Amino acid sequence: VLFLALWPTLVRAGEFLDAEIGTIHLSIPRDRWLALLDALAKVRHALIEVPYPTSVGEEFTTALAHLKEATGRIDRGDYDEAIAACRRAIEATATALGIKNQSDALQATLVQHVDIKRAKAYAGIVTKIKELGNFTIHRAKAAGTYSRAEARFAVGTTHHVITLLAFLCDSSK
């Protein structure tokens, strides 16, 4: 949904005329919007739905809020802060699930739900996303700034990994 607001200035013979245009409301179907984005950016888009469990509590809602902030940061061109928000989302997810925010502790929790190889791989993914966030938070160790593509990757991966953790480790299910 797009809203267009215009503030015209009309002048006739040096005299300003009153002019008013109400806000224009445009509803664009998703497939047409994606086609427009594809044409403008010379890329192809795919929308992927990420289902979130509703039983994991308030801290998980906080994690999702961090990811919403991350998406807004990408839209504003603040890619480093988008990736830092991913780290905060992972930390909030760990708190929501009662998991210590360390790779070994996460792996030990995951091994209760999946085999050791997958537990190690999933914990590794979480650790690597957190490392990306560390580079932005601890600026002295960062080598340059992140690109839009990197930020989108981190945010998308974080969406999926915190959802996976929530579905696997939610003790209330």
Side-chain angles (χ1 to χ4, degrees):
V1 177
L2 299 175
F3 296 91
L4 177 64
L6 302 171
W7 296 272
T9 301
L10 300 176
V11 180
R12 181 181 64 198
E15 176 186 356
F16 287 95
L17 304 174
D18 289 334
E20 208 174 291
I21 297 175
T23 303
I24 300 168
H25 176 256
L26 304 166
S27 292
I28 302 172
R30 185 167 76 171
D31 59 333
R32 288 193 178 194
W33 179 248
L34 289 176
L36 174 67
L37 289 177
D38 291 349
L40 290 174
K42 297 182 182 175
V43 297
R44 296 177 82 189
H45 289 81
L47 293 181
I48 299 172
E49 294 181 14
V50 181
Y52 299 110
T54 56
S55 60
V56 287
E58 191 60 36
E59 278 298 321
F60 192 72
T61 303
T62 300
L64 296 177
H66 286 303
L67 287 177
K68 185 175 182 177
E69 175 196 348
T71 301
R73 296 281 190 165
I74 291 172
D75 292 343
R76 292 188 299 276
D78 193 358
Y79 309 131
D80 287 4
E81 283 303 313
I83 293 175
C86 291
R87 177 185 161 171
R88 291 188 291 275
I90 289 170
E91 291 168 349
T93 300
T95 300
L97 298 172
I99 301 170
K100 289 184 180 176
N101 198 13
Q102 299 154 344
S103 184
D104 292 342
L106 176 58
Q107 185 176 325
T109 300
L110 287 170
V111 83
Q112 299 171 30
H113 306 283
V114 297
D115 65 71
I116 186 68
K117 287 184 179 183
R118 291 187 308 191
K120 187 175 183 178
Y122 296 148
I125 291 168
V126 170
T127 299
K128 294 302 181 188
I129 295 293
K130 284 176 50 182
E131 278 182 29
L132 293 174
N134 289 346
F135 297 151
T136 65
I137 292 168
H138 306 292
R139 178 54 55 203
K141 297 178 185 176
T145 58
Y146 288 106
S147 68
R148 181 179 182 86
E150 290 171 298
R152 290 180 65 132
F153 168 78
V155 171
T157 302
T158 304
H159 270 284
H160 289 286
V161 79
I162 70 169
T163 300
L164 175 66
L165 294 176
F167 279 119
L168 290 177
C169 303
D170 180 12
S171 61
S172 67
K173 61 179 178 163

